Amino acid sequence: MIRALALGLILALSAVTGASAADPANWTRPNKPYRIVGSVYYVGSEGLSAYLIASSKGHVLLDGGPSAQGAKLIEGNIAALGFKLSDVKILINTHAHFDHAGGLAQLKADTGAKLYASAADRPALEKGVHIGDNDNGPTPFPAVKVDKTVRDNETIKLGETVLTTHLIPGHTPGGTAWSLPVVERGRPLNVVFYSSTSVAGNVLVGNKAYPRIVADYRSSFAKLKTLPADVFLPAHEEQGDLIAKRRKVLRGQADAFIDPTEMGKFVVASEAAFDKELARQQGAAR
């Protein structure tokens, strides 16, 4: 009984904080915000990405960090760039895991922005738990109301910002990549805000809560291979070596974030890692 009560308390505290001592330290380590290309700014922590897309009619904020504390870090970065929180009109999300959605409730309360998300990830966001069998458990986070659900290839417009959704389920049932055309020094570019295609503890064999998980991963890899990306912006900093690229920019390499081949290579490597883990789980199930 005492053990059960203790576990319940831990889960309750996790839902409030959205983080644990086992999480990487750089997920909550401050990082100086900066412009990437066009009207896209990095406003996340050292290890967890968050992006502000600015326009004359208001701004879009992608992802919210792991907790209310993470949200406050993002808010501080937005203010440091000279933008007003009240001008953030739309919140969007790559996928409904606590490290990217745990701060959305706080951000929504502080900005008054509307949250747009996929229909398949809406239940997880509104319940504040990961949906699908996963070795890491439900990993709870503060629940947040979704104001508008988005479909595949839907266009979201705010001022000069024109974002397009690309549903890439697997990592979560409603994982969403977002593409955005920008112009950098007269050069048209396609920016892709990548969700995630890693396994990250997902049960691939016999997932009762998410039985189509393998087929979804497969369809997402196929879709991503056809999506052009001049600028690859992932949900985790290290997946795109963003800190190293920023240092290159500061040393004078203005096009450090531009590489039309980078995302394609990342997708191929991610699919290979998925195949390896699927084979391992299939072998273990025999």
Side-chain angles (χ1 to χ4, degrees), residues 40-237:
V40 179
Y41 298 82
Y42 188 91
V43 293
S45 67
E46 187 178 287
L48 286 177
S49 304
Y51 302 98
L52 186 76
I53 304 122
S55 87
S56 61
K57 300 296 184 182
H59 317 314
V60 177
L61 178 61
L62 172 64
D63 281 353
S67 61
Q69 177 190 0
K72 292 299 183 182
L73 184 153
I74 291 169
E75 291 174 4
N77 283 343
I78 292 172
L81 290 168
F83 296 108
K84 296 179 181 178
L85 283 182
S86 59
D87 287 336
V88 176
K89 304 301 183 184
I90 298 174
L91 302 175
I92 57 177
N93 182 227
T94 52
H95 59 282
H97 279 166
F98 84 94
D99 45 339
H100 309 286
L104 290 175
Q106 186 71 52
L107 287 163
K108 189 176 183 185
D110 293 345
T111 63
K114 302 295 185 183
L115 175 59
Y116 293 12
S118 67
D121 266 2
R122 181 175 188 168
L125 291 167
E126 295 192 335
K127 292 177 182 177
V129 292
H130 168 78
I131 291 180
D133 299 336
N134 188 288
D135 292 339
N136 299 311
T139 55
F141 56 88
V144 59
K145 183 181 182 299
V146 174
D147 299 289
K148 175 181 169 61
T149 56
V150 295
R151 302 179 303 275
D152 194 27
N153 287 319
E154 184 171 350
T155 299
I156 307 299
K157 297 180 180 180
L158 182 65
E160 306 83 56
T161 297
V162 183
L163 284 155
T164 301
T165 62
H166 305 275
L167 299 186
I168 51 169
H171 188 75
T172 67
T176 308
W178 304 78
S179 62
L180 173 75
V182 302
V183 176
E184 178 67 14
R185 301 190 313 280
R187 179 180 177 182
L189 299 169
N190 194 51
V191 176
V192 173
F193 303 95
Y194 200 87
S195 177
S196 183
T197 47
S198 66
V199 175
N202 275 331
V203 174
L204 302 178
V205 178
N207 193 317
K208 295 178 181 179
Y210 187 6
R212 68 178 187 279
I213 188 169
V214 171
D216 277 356
Y217 268 106
R218 294 289 187 213
S219 66
S220 293
F221 287 129
K223 178 186 288 188
L224 287 163
K225 289 175 183 177
T226 69
L227 182 61
D230 300 303
V231 180
F232 168 60
L233 297 180
H236 286 266
E237 179 281 328

